[in-house]
Amino acid sequence: MARISDVAKKAGVSVASVSRALSGLPGVSEATRIRVEAAVKALDYRPDLAARRLRSRRTNKLGLIVSDICNPFFTEIGRAVEDVAYQHRMRVMLCNSDEDPEKEAFYLEMMRDENVSGVILSPTLPLLSGLKTSDHPFPLVLVDRCERDSEVDAVVLDNFDAGFRLTEHLIAQGMRRIVFLYGSAGSTGAQRHQGYLAAMAAAGLAPDAEPIAPRAERAREVVEVLLSRKPLPDALLASNGLILQGVVEAARALGVSFPGEIALAGFDDMPWTRLIEPGITVIAQPTYEIGRAAIELLLARIASPEQAVRRLVMRGELKIRGSSRKTSA
Amino acid sequence: MARISDVAKKAGVSVASVSRALSGLPGVSEATRIRVEAAVKALDYRPDLAARRLRSRRTNKLGLIVSDICNPFFTEIGRAVEDVAYQHRMRVMLCNSDEDPEKEAFYLEMMRDENVSGVILSPTLPLLSGLKTSDHPFPLVLVDRCERDSEVDAVVLDNFDAGFRLTEHLIAQGMRRIVFLYGSAGSTGAQRHQGYLAAMAAAGLAPDAEPIAPRAERAREVVEVLLSRKPLPDALLASNGLILQGVVEAARALGVSFPGEIALAGFDDMPWTRLIEPGITVIAQPTYEIGRAAIELLLARIASPEQAVRRLVMRGELKIRGSSRKTSA
DNA sequence: GTGAAAGCGCTAACAT
DNA sequence: ATGTTAGCGCTTTCAC
């Protein structure tokens, strides 16, 4: 491997000039810059990142720690983050905490060790409570999850509003006994739950909600119990895509038809929600935009570390499909 | 930040002893080791990775470049790789080439720049043809895709066999006019196509296959044309999950029922293939095992670079569901 | 605008 | 078993 001194020799200049030319710093004549570029090409020189980092104490790397890499919501965010990072000549380290606080802590330490410029994180619930930027040696931006009082930059859905509107829609369809199944692992489930409660209260209806651990299998178990008790509720509301999957599995397993015997609705516009007859009504999140906003917030924070904490709240889109259709009682 | 010299001072030993103790090298007394560990804890010392890499010219990082991070097949592989890497105190850089040779080249360069110990890769087709390990400064293991004559370690499904068995199953169900839709972007589609051709030939049936660009949308367009021409074929076979999704979307859009009007089958046991009534017949891949085998192959190659090239071929599992059921003609 | 030289924090070779 | 020390390849003063 060619080193910077080889390039300097070939170009007939000092290593300092090569370094300046390659970093795009001022104080290099056009002639020198051209000679350096030619030498770099001729030798197929690539700067040694380890040396560069050791000396400069900076990196051009960002971290992205998501809580479930298998969730299309987060993969789409990853795509957005990479696209923007790519344009800024930044690199992204993608990590999957798998909803496990220990893994999350491991990756946060890794980010520190790697000396990243900043991190985008969808935190587990334990971490989120009492999260402070000052605990981390790098700028931090939250995605998907944050508390009302989190003192950290964040990009999230308006979960309360989304929960409210989805519930409102079901009520407008004539549903009365609406059961809300919400994820217990993140903050989003709780916030959507609040929206549900508000909408039910506004309509003078009695709420009936159940927290569920974040696995489709678990949701399926709960729903199978629910669906085997008669009379059935009018509707089932799932606070995320995983739970929605469990709900559909359970309905299939027990032969309960929707919207005939029970209406269904949920969150996250996954591909299969359109494929299943007669389509599942969901709140769709502007996923790519959330990701893009997150990295833009992060880059802005890196550029000016002292700016005020910002939170971007995005509105979900209600996609009405067959699963919540009014049925003649 | 504390440096190694601070630890040495605190522990009352030399920096060399600290380095040895931390790297688990021999030549350190138990007493010294304990003193070092105490000093490390007291100072909250973390080795500077950039310095360590610069000096040792090694890293404990692996690269994983997948061609579609949104595909559950690859996310599951990522999970397996991370699990095993974690146990070996290795770190994984996960990258998404998005089926784009340019992005792929970018990430391979990045791996070189980062000085990774090895890379697991699902290559794009252009890269795969003419791939040599000697082109890359790190050990390489292919997953999912490789050619018969690739001189690289690899872990793949037995695609020919899988294509053969899936076709054979449909033939056994009485299907005659079976159309095979296969992905044109990877090598797997072509190999599954070969299996299909062999099975059709063995049964004395005329093959009818069509290559498709790797996007569900594209598959949908092709299938919509196909399904609007009468008479319909007996069955549609999709060579991967994405195409299968497009097939189902098209069938729904045109109101073509399955298995009533046409039988369906495909590859990849995605969650929704079970949810859709009456279930889609697929070849399931041992995804997690493929990922685990890949990193184990890679670690073995890193340990002994000169060993013979190995290829691990895994057998798919045929999951028969309602979509391929024989219907009374 | 350019060059000489110091030194980032660590590992490994060598000495004891 | 332990210490001393020379760099790894680069960036960044500082002097010219």
Side-chain angles (χ1 to χ4, degrees):
Chain A
M1 275 291 287
R3 292 152 305 159
I4 197 171
S5 57
D6 299 323
V7 176
K9 199 174 297 171
K10 183 108 183 171
V13 296
S14 71
V15 293
S17 291
V18 176
S19 175
R20 279 189 282 255
L22 291 178
S23 303
L25 291 173
V28 187
S29 71
E30 198 50 31
T32 302
R33 196 177 296 279
I34 289 168
R35 295 177 62 79
V36 168
E37 269 160 24
V40 164
K41 198 158 287 177
L43 296 171
D44 190 29
Y45 167 74
R46 317 230 49 176
D48 183 307
L49 294 185
R52 180 175 273 182
R53 284 170 195 165
L54 173 57
R55 181 58 231 229
S56 70
R57 312 298 338 166
R58 286 180 279 102
T59 69
N60 60 343
K61 286 198 299 203
L62 302 178
L64 172 58
I65 307 177
V66 301
S67 47
D68 180 9
I69 194 78
C70 293
N71 187 331
F73 173 76
F74 288 116
T75 52
E76 185 73 8
I77 283 184
R79 188 183 291 246
V81 169
E82 288 210 324
D83 284 352
V84 177
Y86 192 81
Q87 291 160 18
H88 290 258
R89 315 189 143 247
M90 285 283 202
R91 292 171 174 183
V92 179
M93 304 191 58
L94 178 53
C95 302
N96 175 23
S97 75
D98 229 357
E99 218 68 88
D100 174 357
E102 246 178 80
K103 265 186 140 179
E104 180 178 54
F106 170 81
Y107 283 125
L108 282 168
E109 273 198 5
M110 167 166 153
M111 293 303 161
R112 170 185 162 180
D113 287 345
E114 293 281 348
N115 221 317
V116 297
S117 303
V119 170
I120 298 172
L121 171 71
S122 70
T124 63
L125 208 45
L127 183 77
L128 185 51
S129 55
L131 183 71
K132 273 175 285 181
T133 343
S134 52
D135 293 344
H136 302 280
F138 39 71
L140 199 58
V141 171
L142 303 182
V143 273
D144 185 47
R145 305 162 177 193
C146 87
E147 300 284 11
R148 186 186 42 71
D149 58 352
S150 299
E151 298 175 355
V152 186
D153 290 328
V155 183
V156 293
L157 191 77
D158 191 335
N159 289 305
F160 181 94
D161 170 73
F164 190 95
R165 277 160 55 216
L166 195 51
T167 309
E168 203 177 43
H169 162 70
L170 292 178
I171 295 171
Q173 298 294 302
M175 320 289 169
R176 289 294 169 264
R177 298 183 51 238
I178 303 171
V179 177
F180 188 74
L181 306 163
Y182 62 104
S184 60
S187 62
T188 52
Q191 291 160 359
R192 291 165 189 177
H193 180 210
Q194 292 301 317
Y196 159 82
L197 290 178
M200 292 298 275
L205 297 175
D208 182 0
E210 190 144 3
I212 292 182
R215 282 164 40 230
E217 201 187 311
R218 189 77 199 88
R220 178 181 168 159
E221 289 165 22
V222 170
V223 177
E224 284 191 357
V225 172
L226 212 69
L227 293 184
S228 52
R229 282 200 302 254
K230 306 284 166 171
L232 293 176
D234 296 333
L236 248 43
L237 215 47
S239 87
N240 65 48
L242 230 48
I243 293 179
L244 186 56
Q245 184 187 321
V247 168
V248 174
E249 281 175 3
R252 292 292 192 221
L254 299 184
V256 174
S257 71
F258 50 87
E261 297 179 68
I262 195 167
L264 257 41
F267 277 76
D268 293 340
D269 188 24
M270 309 169 109
W272 58 264
T273 59
R274 277 174 295 123
L275 294 181
I276 289 180
E277 288 292 351
I280 313 264
T281 295
V282 294
I283 292 277
Q285 303 197 47
T287 326
Y288 191 90
E289 278 179 68
I290 290 176
R292 189 174 50 192
I295 180 168
E296 279 167 359
L297 234 54
L298 182 59
L299 292 174
R301 166 72 52 197
I302 291 169
S304 43
E306 299 307 331
Q307 71 183 4
V309 170
R310 300 196 282 178
R311 177 173 316 167
L312 205 54
V313 179
M314 303 232 178
R315 192 154 193 270
E317 185 190 350
L318 177 61
K319 301 215 166 183
I320 299 174
R321 301 199 178 108
S323 72
S324 64
R325 203 182 304 129
K326 190 185 313 198
T327 50
S328 44
Chain B
M1 276 290 288
R3 292 152 306 158
I4 198 171
S5 57
D6 299 324
V7 177
K9 200 174 296 172
K10 182 108 184 172
V13 297
S14 72
V15 293
S17 291
V18 176
S19 175
R20 280 190 280 256
L22 292 179
S23 303
L25 292 172
V28 187
S29 71
E30 198 50 31
T32 302
R33 198 177 294 279
I34 289 168
R35 295 177 61 79
V36 167
E37 270 160 23
V40 164
K41 198 159 288 177
L43 297 171
D44 189 29
Y45 168 74
R46 317 230 50 176
D48 183 308
L49 293 186
R52 180 176 274 183
R53 284 169 195 166
L54 173 58
R55 178 60 231 227
S56 70
R57 311 274 53 186
R58 286 181 279 103
T59 67
N60 60 343
K61 285 197 301 203
L62 302 178
L64 172 59
I65 307 177
V66 301
S67 47
D68 179 10
I69 194 77
C70 293
N71 188 329
F73 172 76
F74 288 116
T75 52
E76 186 73 9
I77 283 185
R79 190 184 291 246
V81 170
E82 288 209 324
D83 284 352
V84 176
Y86 192 81
Q87 291 159 18
H88 289 259
R89 316 187 143 249
M90 284 281 200
R91 292 171 174 182
V92 179
M93 303 192 58
L94 178 53
C95 302
N96 175 24
S97 75
D98 228 356
E99 217 69 87
D100 173 357
E102 246 178 80
K103 265 185 140 179
E104 181 178 55
F106 170 81
Y107 283 125
L108 282 168
E109 273 199 5
M110 167 166 151
M111 293 303 163
R112 169 184 164 181
D113 288 345
E114 293 281 348
N115 221 316
V116 297
S117 304
V119 170
I120 299 171
L121 170 71
S122 71
T124 63
L125 207 45
L127 184 77
L128 184 52
S129 55
L131 184 71
K132 274 175 284 182
T133 343
S134 52
D135 294 343
H136 301 280
F138 39 70
L140 200 56
V141 172
L142 302 182
V143 274
D144 184 47
R145 303 162 178 193
C146 87
E147 301 284 12
R148 185 188 41 73
D149 58 353
S150 300
E151 297 177 355
V152 186
D153 290 329
V155 183
V156 293
L157 191 77
D158 191 335
N159 289 305
F160 181 94
D161 171 74
F164 190 95
R165 277 160 55 218
L166 194 51
T167 308
E168 202 177 44
H169 162 70
L170 291 177
I171 295 171
Q173 297 295 304
M175 319 290 169
R176 288 296 168 262
R177 300 182 51 237
I178 303 171
V179 177
F180 188 73
L181 306 163
Y182 63 103
S184 59
S187 62
T188 53
Q191 290 160 359
R192 291 166 189 175
H193 180 211
Q194 292 302 316
Y196 158 83
L197 290 177
M200 292 296 275
L205 297 175
D208 181 0
E210 189 145 5
I212 292 183
R215 284 163 41 230
E217 200 188 311
R218 190 75 199 88
R220 180 181 166 160
E221 289 165 20
V222 171
V223 177
E224 284 191 358
V225 171
L226 212 68
L227 293 184
S228 51
R229 283 201 302 254
K230 305 286 166 172
L232 292 176
D234 296 333
L236 249 42
L237 214 48
S239 86
N240 66 48
L242 229 49
I243 292 178
L244 186 56
Q245 184 186 320
V247 168
V248 175
E249 281 174 3
R252 291 293 192 223
L254 299 185
V256 174
S257 72
F258 51 86
E261 297 179 67
I262 195 166
L264 258 40
F267 278 75
D268 295 339
D269 190 23
M270 308 170 109
W272 58 263
T273 58
R274 277 175 294 121
L275 293 181
I276 289 180
E277 288 294 351
I280 313 263
T281 294
V282 293
I283 293 277
Q285 303 196 48
T287 326
Y288 191 90
E289 278 179 70
I290 290 176
R292 189 173 51 193
I295 180 168
E296 280 167 359
L297 234 54
L298 182 59
L299 293 173
R301 167 72 52 196
I302 291 168
S304 44
E306 299 306 330
Q307 71 183 3
V309 170
R310 299 195 283 179
R311 176 173 317 167
L312 206 54
V313 179
M314 303 232 178
R315 191 152 193 272
E317 186 191 349
L318 177 60
K319 301 216 165 181
I320 298 173
R321 302 200 178 106
S323 71
S324 64
R325 202 181 305 130
K326 189 184 317 201
T327 51
S328 43

